[in-house]
Amino acid sequence: MRILTANQIKTVEKRAFAGDFTEEGLMKCAGTACFNKIMKYYADGINNKKVAVICGNGKNAGDGFVIADLMCQQGIDASIVLADREPELKEPKMYFDEAFENDVKIYYFAEYDFDCDIIVDCIFGIGFHGEPKAPFDEVFDAVNNSGAVVISIDTPSGTNATDGSVIKAVKADMTIAISTLKFAHVLPPASEYCGKTVTVNIGIPEDCYDSDYVNTITKSQVKSFFKARAKNSNKGDFGHQLNICGSYLMPGAAVICAKSALKTGVGLLKCVFPKSVYSVMTSHLTQPVFRPLCENESKTISIGAVNDICDELKWADSVVAGCGLGNNDDVQVVIGQIIKICEVPVILDADGINAVCPFIDIIKDRKAPLVITPHPGEMARLINESTLYVQQNRVDAAKAFAKENDAVVVLKGANTVVTDGSEVFINTNGNAGMAMGGTGDMLSGMIGSFIAQGIEPFDAAKAAVYIHGYCGDITARELSERGMTVEDMISLLGAIMSEFE
């Protein structure tokens, strides 16, 4: 699904107006579609509830007037609450007048007691930016303190549709996005204000849209990346994955990375690790080939292991490096050599990323594709900016780094960004229960597995991110967000892959 800025959707609507659509016609379609969506989710018992449709004085209010009018026609106790004043723009005024003529109750904000069960937020639309002024800041407080179910139309009022910024805004239980998603629905902090986000199609023709928008990753897209396995296949047909992960203090990262690779179908997995980790690896894993190597005093991989690792690279179809590896001079040398000589795709995560941060230009001196999977803090170190900057510029930061370094970037976090520097995809599944140690190691193992099986690195990253989030959502439903663990996710992962065969 497309994700558009405020200016992009306005351009789309202008193209529609140049065709068979009128502004008042599109407003009617939007209000009707939103009404139908509200009824789909809240029809049960809504006739016994009080509904307040709170409207500003811009075009977003027109959708609200249509919604309130349609509700009253269905016998619902719905009222229009004017946040400021009566509309003056032609199209919203037309639907306000229709609602008035149809005896819809109309109140001003100052006289409404907010004794209602459902609030429909039509105060501001996608054009809002900055800080709400009086009386709108007071309206936002009244909505948020009402205890009512809040449904925002298009974007929660007060959020910036284009960059996801918020100073003060309505906090919705559900947001109905008109035509397409906007960045407020997928970027923090605005995404926190949206609740459940659903979309409605209001009939704008496909030829009104361009082809270069940011998109969400979809299940159908991910399914298309996987080919059916031939009946007479052998283990060599599904790739050789080499994991260079783990240290004495963080052996679990290597175990998690390995398990997720195996659960997603890699044919052969070889695990390289410091020799002191051997007992942990073998007590949790039986399927991989193990290659314990020499270690330094910190019990991380030693510089003395470089030649052995370089030999192993010749065997691999994909290489995952960094999960739990530790970060010191030896690790930096090892990672540098892997990047320099490896001729198959490398997935660089965690300490692999930390190792290259001081010498970032080395990733340009490589022979093979690179997938790099930073969390916001690691991304900040890569580009020498603050974590706050990264979070406020997730798409731009990831895209710029990917383009400059000819790499695939997976910027992790809520609504993970995946980009090759040209195209950008945002993943919208997953949940807060996944915010725990180990989920990144799991993701890296999955990316490596899909690449080893022959999927192109950019597509493998999209597939892994989507399935990872999908697995997290199912695990949370089965257990809970607070009670789920990475092991719980991995235990479900193999079964979940049946949906993508």
Side-chain angles (χ1 to χ4, degrees), residues 12 16 21 203-209:
V12 169
F21 283 85
I204 295 177
E206 279 294 309
D207 61 8
C208 293
Y209 293 92

Side-chain angles (χ1 to χ4, degrees), residues 23 37 77 98 216 291 357 416 431 439 461 473 480-481:
E23 193 152 2
K37 188 67 75 171
D77 184 7
E98 282 188 14
T216 62
R291 186 72 194 274
C357 280
T416 293
N431 60 81
T439 50
D473 286 342
S480 68
E481 288 188 4

Side-chain angles (χ1 to χ4, degrees), residues 54-319:
I54 305 182
C55 301
N57 44 47
K59 293 183 179 179
N60 192 244
D63 303 335
F65 301 142
V66 172
I67 293 167
D69 200 357
L70 290 171
M71 283 186 169
C72 288
Q73 291 175 35
Q74 293 292 316
I76 298 167
D77 184 7
S79 304
I80 293 170
V81 179
L82 297 174
D84 185 20
R85 60 180 187 272
E86 292 184 15
E88 298 175 355
L89 296 174
K90 174 186 171 185
E91 294 82 9
K93 187 176 188 313
M94 182 175 75
Y95 293 116
F96 175 79
D97 291 342
E98 282 188 14
F100 178 78
E101 291 168 6
N102 290 334
D103 295 324
V104 178
K105 292 177 288 187
I106 299 170
Y107 299 89
Y108 285 96
F109 165 65
E111 64 186 12
Y112 191 71
D113 62 6
F114 281 84
D115 180 22
C116 55
D117 303 292
I118 296 173
I119 291 174
V120 182
D121 160 32
C122 296
I123 305 166
F124 290 117
I126 58 172
F128 180 86
H129 58 87
E131 185 173 3
K133 307 293 190 223
F136 299 106
D137 55 345
E138 297 175 20
V139 177
F140 290 1
D141 287 337
V143 171
N144 291 338
N145 295 327
S146 67
V149 171
V150 178
I151 305 165
S152 288
I153 302 303
D154 214 5
T155 55
S157 293
T159 60
N160 187 309
T162 295
D163 64 16
S165 61
V166 176
I167 296 176
K168 186 174 188 177
V170 168
K171 195 166 182 68
D173 296 287
M174 184 171 80
T175 298
I176 304 175
I178 297 174
S179 298
T180 70
L181 292 175
K182 318 302 183 300
F183 282 93
H185 304 127
V186 298
L187 293 180
S191 56
E192 289 278 349
Y193 289 75
C194 293
K196 179 182 178 66
T197 300
V198 297
T199 59
V200 290
N201 185 341
I202 62 173
I204 295 177
E206 279 294 309
D207 61 8
C208 293
Y209 293 92
D210 293 324
S211 59
D212 59 348
Y213 302 121
V214 173
N215 286 274
T216 62
I217 306 172
T218 64
K219 189 174 185 178
S220 60
Q221 178 189 38
V222 171
K223 282 184 175 182
S224 72
F225 299 147
F226 295 92
K227 297 176 182 178
R229 292 192 163 193
K231 182 177 181 180
N232 294 318
S233 300
N234 65 71
K235 60 188 177 184
D237 294 330
F238 305 119
H240 296 180
Q241 179 173 337
L242 180 67
N243 284 3
I244 304 166
C245 301
S247 61
Y248 184 77
L249 295 178
M250 293 179 285
V255 173
I256 291 168
C257 185
K259 284 186 175 181
S260 65
L262 295 170
K263 286 285 189 176
T264 47
V266 72
L268 287 165
L269 174 66
K270 186 177 290 187
C271 296
V272 171
F273 47 83
K275 61 183 181 181
S276 61
V277 181
Y278 183 80
S279 61
V280 177
M281 298 294 287
T282 55
S283 65
H284 288 87
L285 297 162
T286 56
Q287 193 169 332
V289 176
F290 298 114
R291 186 72 194 274
L293 295 177
C294 61
E295 60 187 29
N296 58 23
E297 291 180 356
S298 300
K299 296 188 177 180
T300 67
I301 205 83
S302 167
I303 193 171
V306 166
N307 290 337
D308 289 330
I309 290 173
C310 290
D311 287 341
E312 295 293 354
L313 296 177
K314 300 170 187 176
W315 169 87
D317 295 307
S318 71
V319 176

Side-chain angles (χ1 to χ4, degrees), residues 452-471:
Q453 292 174 65
I455 300 177
E456 289 298 314
F458 190 29
D459 292 339
K462 287 182 281 184
V465 166
Y466 181 88
I467 295 171
H468 184 249
Y470 185 61
C471 181

